[in-house]
Amino acid sequence: MDTQDVHSSAPSTFDGTVLITGATQGLGLHLARDLAGRGATLLLHGRSRERLDRAAAEVRALSDGRAEVRTYLADLSDLDQVRSLAAEVRAAEPRLDVLVNNAVAGGGAQPRLRELSAQGHELRFAVNYLTPYLLIRELLPLLTASAPARVVQVASVGQSPVDFDDVMMERDYEGLEAYCRSKLAMIMSTFDLAAAGTPGSGVTFNALHPAHLMDTEGVRAYGLTPATSVEEGVRPTVRLITDPALAGVSGRYYDRFTDAAAHDQAYDPQARRRLAALTRELLGG
């Protein structure tokens, strides 16, 4: 099946409630624009109130004021704020049909600068892996109550194995390498979440690489030349969010529209057990 045929299977209307992290720019904002046009209720996350309000106003305007848009403010490099964000969503929202973990810390404008999260973890591991995992864990009761529901993990074709002897990359630090390790960790946990899902819970977990080197702030900040538009990444991501043909499909990694193989470490049971144990230790429980 070619790309156009796959894309055409996504419905033109979608009335579910979708939480998008990192929704003030790049892929997150473009997703919000697309889904607003389909009739979705949008929960937009950002870490800047000004940018968040601007994004919400833009999305509402594009739908001629018809889109229902609510905003949530949090710095996802702070796990305490992640927990607070989840608590706010649980308290305010009657349902959650889709969680899109899209927010990302890229390679950085100073790739040799090793940055830390609020809890002292390597920044990219924290934002790109620990935060999505924690957000899923905290919102899973709401997702389950809203089932059928979906979790869409925005990963990357750029994947490097996690070094369990130096997970926080205290030696030979490089931002893009940290990004690639964190994205593989995200994919590994996606597979585990799908495998551990309660039969009949109705919540699916899938990851995807949306497009190659999209024209985003993060790609340019690292010094890379964008190769595709952000719109190219919207189409495969919207498919995972809305396509009825993917109902019940879980534990997959997609390279755009193609059900693909991730890095070998994602299929290593011992590596996944080690990552799960480390995650429990770092997050508690």
Side-chain angles (χ1 to χ4, degrees), residues 149-185:
R150 305 183 187 193
V151 174
V152 176
Q153 305 264 63
V154 180
S156 175
V157 73
Q159 302 161 27
S160 291
V162 177
D163 179 356
F164 288 101
D165 293 324
D166 186 21
V167 173
M168 298 302 168
M169 294 188 67
E170 297 179 272
R171 302 186 300 270
D172 301 320
Y173 186 81
E174 202 284 322
L176 185 59
E177 175 66 14
Y179 166 89
C180 291
R181 293 186 190 190
S182 68
K183 287 300 187 179
L184 181 55

Side-chain angles (χ1 to χ4, degrees), residues 75-84 114-123 125-127 130-131 134 168 281-284:
D75 182 346
L76 300 188
S77 69
D78 183 342
L79 296 177
D80 290 337
Q81 291 194 41
V82 176
R83 291 183 175 93
S84 295
R114 182 175 174 271
E115 300 172 273
L116 301 180
S117 71
Q119 284 71 34
H121 308 313
E122 190 277 314
L123 183 67
F125 188 81
V127 173
L130 289 176
T131 284
L134 179 59
M168 298 302 168
E281 177 185 338
L282 295 176
L283 297 181

Side-chain angles (χ1 to χ4, degrees), residues 234-249:
V234 170
R235 297 184 300 122
T237 311
V238 167
R239 173 177 171 250
L240 284 190
I241 294 168
T242 67
D243 191 347
L246 296 177
V249 175

